[in-house]
Each structure stands twice: as C-alpha cells, then as structure tokens.
C-alpha cells in the first residue's frame, strides 16, 4: 500500500485534539487560523497519502472555519493549490464579498497565495471529504491560468473533473492495491488530470504540453472502456470513433504504456468476472450470466479465456475461491463453464 500518516482525535486527550489537528493541517496544507465551536472536544480523523510531491488526504471533522490571512501568507507560502472534494456536507468559501458553496458535485480550489475563509460542515454533524495538495510549479500551465484556478467552479460530475473525483474517492477508500513506488506515478496522473481540468475549464487546452494531452486522453479512454466492458461491440475501431481519433493512434497510445488495446480489455473483463465468481453475494448467479455481464456472450469462449488466464475453469474457480458468509467454500453456481 501507499505510504500514509494517520491522525485520529480519539487517540488524544480532549484538551489536545483541536490544537494537534490544527498543527497537522498547517503542515499538510499551509499555516491557517482555525475556529470551531467544538474546539473543547474536537473530533477529526485524517489520512495523508504520499504521492511524491503531491499528497491526498481523506478527512472527517466537526464544523470548522479555516482562515488563510494576508499575514499568514506573508509569513509562509508553499505556493500550492488545494483541491477539496466534499463527500458529505458542504464547503463554503468567502473571498472578500464573494461567497461560493461547494457540494459533492463540485471541486473547491484554494490557492495558498490568496486570502480565503473556508467553512467546512454545519451544525453538529461531521464533514467528510478528500483534500489534494499540488505545488503550483508542477502544473504545466501559464502562471496566469494557475492563478485563476481558485476562481473556477470545477465540476466533479463530467469530463476531467469526474475522472479526478473518481481517482480521489478510490484512493480514499483504500490503497491496498498499490505499492509505495506507485505513489509518484499516481502523483503524475493527478497533476495531469488537474492541469487538463483547469485548462479545459478556461478553454485553453492548447496551452497543455503534448505529453500531458496524450496522458489525459489515455485516461479518458481507459475510463470509457471500463464503463463499457459489458458491450461485446467494444472494439478498437469503436473506441477510436468515440474519441474522434484514428484506430492506429489509439494503438500507439496503448503501446506507449506497454499495452495492447484488445489485451487490456480482455484482462479487465476477465478480472471483473473473476471478482464476481469469488463474491459470496453472487454465488447463485449462473456463470454464463456473469460472463455475459462482462462482455463474453459465448460461454465456451469465456471458459477457454478464463482457464488460460487463471489455470482452471470458471466453475472450479468459483468452487475453490467463492466463500459463503461463514467462510466455508461456496457451492458452484449453475450455468455454463
């Protein structure tokens, strides 16, 4: 898993919780003034995931106001962008006389070089979200565009914003499938997505370096494929047409990642089917239904591909790896295999 640091207020005495969390936020983001009606017995938890020069921090906390003042900026400015994705509860920013409210459908950008008040949560409920810290120097955009990022309302529902939000929530849910060495690689992906999102929102995609445009296009294609694995018509020509590129360029994009289009699609389909076969909740679902769900309309083709990939037929895999809730091996389901 990725390297991470964890903070839990319950590990501290009530008198120390708020000050310790304020210090942690100041180290992770930038020095801030924090105010909360719940400071006497503050509840918060936070994980800081190390992605090289980039960090992601899933967090939950009681309502609080973060203030980045001109005085604090003069004293210390890491010159970074902070991106917040609210998962439950809203964020409200105040910049001068302008107020903006952000919910789970949007991404809130804070520039450490600009004064701002950020109000997280309301009432007595806990606010949950994911924070992202990116040094501005890493963004391959003109400085003027980076400086405008905090004024943008970025959607988390479509396009690059949806891809970025999905990656942040995936990292927040757990990092067991990654190794520590994957951290900087993920950091590069995050920077590319954020750069593309800002440039797209400012209608300045031409300002992105070619390598960043290629990487973000590749990420869009991957997301498209993962959303259409059930479709037997998911072929390289169909994928290329959906993204307005040639089939040969599509193949080059995958070759640059050491992959083939058809091979990667097949591996993803087989892996999703394998997970379903080992899921106790799906042990009553016929194998041919699972195969069809992941783009294998012919049971014999699925059986042959599955045996090649995992060394046994789907029926045997389900018998050996599917478990009932009490931990006993599940009985094989019906259907082809």
């Amino acid at each position: 898993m990725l390297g991470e640091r964890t903070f839990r207020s319950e590990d501290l005495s009530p008198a120390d919780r708020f000050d310790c969390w304020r210090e942690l936020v100041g180290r992770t983001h930038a020095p801030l003034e924090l105010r909360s009606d719940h400071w006497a017995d503050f509840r918060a938890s936070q994980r800081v995931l190390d992605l090289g020069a980039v960090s992601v921090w899933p967090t939950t906390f009681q309502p609080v106001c973060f203030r980045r003042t001109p005085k604090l900026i003069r004293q210390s400015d890491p010159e970074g962008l902070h991106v917040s994705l609210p998962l439950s509860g809203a964020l409200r920013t105040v910049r001068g006389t302008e107020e903006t409210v952000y919910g789970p459908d949007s991404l809130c950008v804070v520039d450490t070089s600009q004064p701002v008040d950020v109000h997280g949560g309301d009432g007595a409920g806990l606010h949950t979200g994911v924070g992202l810290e990116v040094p501005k120097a890493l963004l391959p955009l003109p400085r003027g565009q980076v400086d405008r990022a905090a004024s943008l309302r970025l959607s988390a529902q479509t396009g690059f914003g949806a891809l970025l939000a999905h990656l942040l929530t995936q990292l927040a849910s757990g990092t067991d499938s990654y190794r520590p060495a994957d951290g900087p690689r993920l950091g590069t992906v995050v920077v590319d997505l954020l750069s593309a999102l800002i440039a797209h929102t400012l209608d300045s995609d031409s300002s992105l370096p070619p390598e960043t445009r290629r990487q973000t296009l590749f990420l869009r294609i991957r997301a498209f494929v993962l959303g259409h694995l059930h479709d037997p018509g998911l072929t390289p020509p169909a994928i290329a047409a959906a993204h307005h590129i040639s089939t040969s360029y599509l193949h080059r994009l995958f070759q640059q990642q050491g992959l083939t289009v058809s091979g990667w699609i097949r591996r993803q389909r087989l892996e999703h089917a394998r997970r379903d076969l080992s899921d106790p909740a799906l042990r009553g679902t016929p194998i041919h239904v699972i195969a069809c769900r992941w783009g294998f309309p012919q049971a014999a083709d699925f059986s042959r591909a599955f045996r090649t990939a995992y060394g046994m037929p789907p029926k045997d895999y389900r018998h050996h790896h599917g478990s009932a809730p009490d931990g006993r091996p599940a009985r094989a389901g019906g259907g082809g295999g």
Side-chain angles (χ1 to χ4, degrees):
M1 63 188 300
L2 300 178
E4 65 177 69
R5 303 183 302 279
T6 302
F7 171 88
R8 297 182 305 175
S9 58
E10 60 263 33
D11 294 336
L12 301 170
S13 66
D16 295 330
R17 293 173 180 175
F18 189 67
D19 287 341
C20 287
W21 191 65
R22 175 172 51 195
E23 182 182 349
L24 173 62
V25 173
R27 291 198 310 268
T28 307
H29 170 60
L32 296 163
E33 291 181 2
L34 268 65
R35 299 195 309 266
S36 175
D37 293 337
H38 309 276
W39 64 270
D41 186 12
F42 194 68
R43 287 182 292 151
S45 63
Q46 184 168 310
R47 294 160 48 225
V48 181
L49 311 179
D50 180 11
L51 307 186
V54 175
S55 63
V56 171
W57 43 293
T59 185
T60 298
F61 53 83
Q62 287 182 294
V64 68
C65 174
F66 308 86
R67 297 196 69 210
R68 182 79 174 140
T69 66
K71 180 179 179 181
L72 288 173
I73 293 170
R74 289 192 300 270
Q75 292 174 347
S76 175
D77 184 9
E79 297 195 357
L81 289 185
H82 170 81
V83 182
S84 291
L85 173 64
L87 298 179
S88 66
L91 288 176
R92 179 169 59 91
T93 63
V94 180
R95 296 180 175 93
T97 60
E98 182 179 346
E99 290 194 12
T100 308
V101 178
Y102 303 85
D105 61 339
S106 56
L107 295 160
C108 170
V109 180
V110 169
D111 188 330
T112 64
S113 305
Q114 301 175 15
V116 65
D117 287 7
V118 180
H119 300 264
D122 49 47
L126 292 172
H127 176 86
T128 300
V130 187
L132 165 66
E133 303 291 339
V134 177
K136 288 187 281 189
L138 293 183
L139 299 170
L141 296 168
R143 185 55 184 260
Q145 293 182 12
V146 175
D147 291 341
R148 293 172 58 193
S151 66
L152 302 176
R153 186 179 185 86
L154 303 176
S155 172
Q157 293 188 309
T158 60
F160 295 114
L163 290 175
L164 180 57
H166 176 74
L167 177 56
L168 293 178
T169 53
Q170 183 189 62
L171 290 172
S173 67
T175 63
D176 289 345
S177 60
Y178 300 107
R179 298 187 297 271
D182 292 324
R185 300 175 187 129
L186 287 166
T188 299
V189 173
V190 167
V191 170
D192 284 340
L193 283 176
L194 181 59
S195 301
L197 175 57
I198 294 171
H200 176 78
T201 306
L202 291 170
D203 197 24
S204 303
D205 289 82
S206 60
S207 65
L208 288 171
E211 178 56 34
T212 299
R213 290 202 298 273
R214 284 193 295 270
Q215 181 65 18
T216 51
L217 174 59
F218 177 72
L219 292 170
R220 285 172 55 199
I221 291 171
R222 278 176 52 117
F224 175 84
V225 169
L226 291 174
H228 292 79
L229 289 175
H230 63 280
D231 183 3
L234 186 69
T235 62
I239 297 168
H243 292 83
H244 310 290
I245 60 176
S246 69
T247 304
S248 61
Y249 185 58
L250 173 70
H251 285 301
R252 285 202 301 275
L253 285 174
F254 274 75
Q255 287 168 0
Q256 289 167 359
Q257 305 292 328
L259 304 167
T260 65
V261 181
S262 298
W264 189 78
I265 293 173
R266 177 171 288 251
R267 282 197 296 276
Q268 295 303 313
R269 283 173 164 164
L270 287 169
E271 179 61 15
H272 281 77
R274 182 195 66 78
R275 293 176 188 172
D276 282 0
L277 289 172
S278 61
D279 187 346
L282 297 176
R283 62 182 179 272
T285 303
I287 291 175
H288 74 273
V289 172
I290 290 176
C292 193
R293 175 185 297 164
W294 296 113
F296 290 97
Q298 302 297 323
D301 291 343
F302 173 66
S303 236
R304 186 164 48 251
F306 194 94
R307 182 196 291 266
T308 299
Y310 300 108
M312 65 179 69
K315 186 193 302 186
D316 292 350
Y317 185 92
R318 168 178 268 180
H319 177 73
H320 289 293
H321 295 274
S323 297
D326 61 3
R328 295 175 299 171
R331 299 180 62 182

